[in-house]
Amino acid sequence: MATGTGKTYTAFQIVYRLTKAKKVNRVLYLADRNILIDQTIVQDFKPFEKVITKVKNRHLDSSYEIYMSLYQQLVGENGEEIFRAFKPEFFDLIIVDECHRGSAKEDSQWRTILEYFNSAVQIGLTATPKETKEISNLAYFGEPIYTYSLKQGIADGFLAPYKVIRVNIDRDSEGWRPYKGQFDKNGLQIEDKLYLGKDFDKNLIIDERTQEVAKRITKWLKENGRYSKTIVFCVDIEHAERMRQALTNENSDIMKANPNYIMRITGDNKEGKAMLDYFIDPSEKYPTIVTTSKLMTTGVDAKTCKLIVLENNINSIIEFKQIIGRGTRLNPDYDKNYFTIMDFRGVTRLFADPNFDGDPIVIIEDDGKDENTSTNTTEETGEDIASEDGDIFTPPMVHEGKVKYHVDNVDVNIVNERVQYLDANGKLITESVVDFTKKNVRKEYASLDEFINAWSSTAKKQVILEELAKHNVSIDELYKATGKNDIDEFDLILHIVYDQKPLTRKERINNVKKRDYFAKYSPVCREVLDALMEQYKNEGIREIQNLQVLRNKNFAKWGTAPKIVKMFGGKEKYFQAVDELTSLIYNNEISANQGSNIYNL
């Protein structure tokens, strides 16, 4: 199942049903990373909190029903095989998270756990099933009993759609070559050759390139929200630290107020890892931007991540899928309805790979290509090295004795950008957001009449907007593209898709006030309705149709939300008043083709 579509939740449902039906008594949940265990215990498996335990310090207690464990805890050091303290028939069910890793190898010492408890039903979970010369999910688990793809998840409205910004830097395409006898910043003579994009931050560091990337990321944040959760995937730990520093320089104003705004979260950085839970918590503002290498490719349930930055040379479709999965969670409560991928390394070419959203990836054997094209190496498939306590770290990259050169005073520029959107078939297309919106809205509502009728007959306008979002139509992107921030979503779509002259929110409110329709309400209720109109004028229709608006400071003088609702005679009558207000807002003469037809909403 694609990342974000609920593999762990599905596992919980299976365990819950089977334990309640007394078909299963003891369950083992295996993973190779602490975060996979810890998140599972406090989130999806929380209903089991009284009967669940996490295996620690290689201590086994037979008094629980659900056992969460890292492989490392059960295997022990030097082949101790702690798990043999339990009888082979102790567990009835074993769940293997990220089953394409860890025990997937036939000769892995971790595989012995599964083989020892072979009488138990064993279920493997993964977003990226794997078939290589050494690893085969199919050979061990058999054919998948259920699959659910990224494309399906987006189409069904369970996953966030995305857009791609491909940024081309001149040095990456043109390359850089040292002059004869040139030394780097560390006094090393630079090998004379043409260095291209695949070399940067792996064999050659160019300070100005790092700075240019940091500037472009910061520009996006300033345009889309400085506190948009962001993950920057770098070549290695050293690169992640340099990128953190470059971003710090570009965002010094916020960093002065809170140094946790930007952090490096890598396997060797205890301070950064300690902040990981804060990053994935939607209610926590800091850290906002994190730089990483391999640590956050899997298992990080970042529901509000809005920007994924690809600053690493990724050739593995598995690692690419895992990284994209960090942004696919939806969280409308925190305005997370889609996410953006900013690609500096041409990695998004992998969207065109037929295996991107298809069947398990089958690689019969390593074809011996060089390190930049191989799809079967530990480094490039995103596999992590697990320490004995279950933490994951990625060691500094070693290049068979090759030196990494470090230079500065190099002219680096962004030469062009291309924005791509996801179409209904899950393919990335290159066209303007306006043209893309026209095409997709007209597929759903072929004529102006159809759209107006749908809008007017739907009490909650958010439903229409959510339906459009399923077709990857982003209202926020339309506002940015057109600059028409004083009109609401209805007028924006009419203007862009059906070439209608829009009314501003202010004009619509003035038309409502002329009617004096709310004279039937008490003076204090009229004041609340006036405040709702002001809220609409500033924020749009979505704001006033949400009961949460009453918690806004502009309504504080009338008391709490329940108290305000009570003034109208209860929730039903309050929403009736809001529906009347909404109808009045759109009860304007909207002329099609500059006056030929009148639409009464």
Side-chain angles (χ1 to χ4, degrees), residues 535-546:
Q535 192 74 22
Y536 164 79
K537 189 170 72 175
N538 295 327
E539 302 291 340
I541 198 67
R542 282 183 282 185
E543 280 291 307
I544 69 169
Q545 290 199 313
N546 189 337

Side-chain angles (χ1 to χ4, degrees), residues 109-133:
Q109 67 176 135
W110 294 350
R111 175 71 74 86
T112 58
I113 299 172
L114 300 182
E115 292 170 344
Y116 180 76
F117 297 111
N118 62 8
S119 64
V121 173
Q122 298 179 7
I123 301 175
L125 312 173
T126 180
T128 53
K130 197 171 187 181
E131 299 295 313
T132 73
K133 188 176 180 180

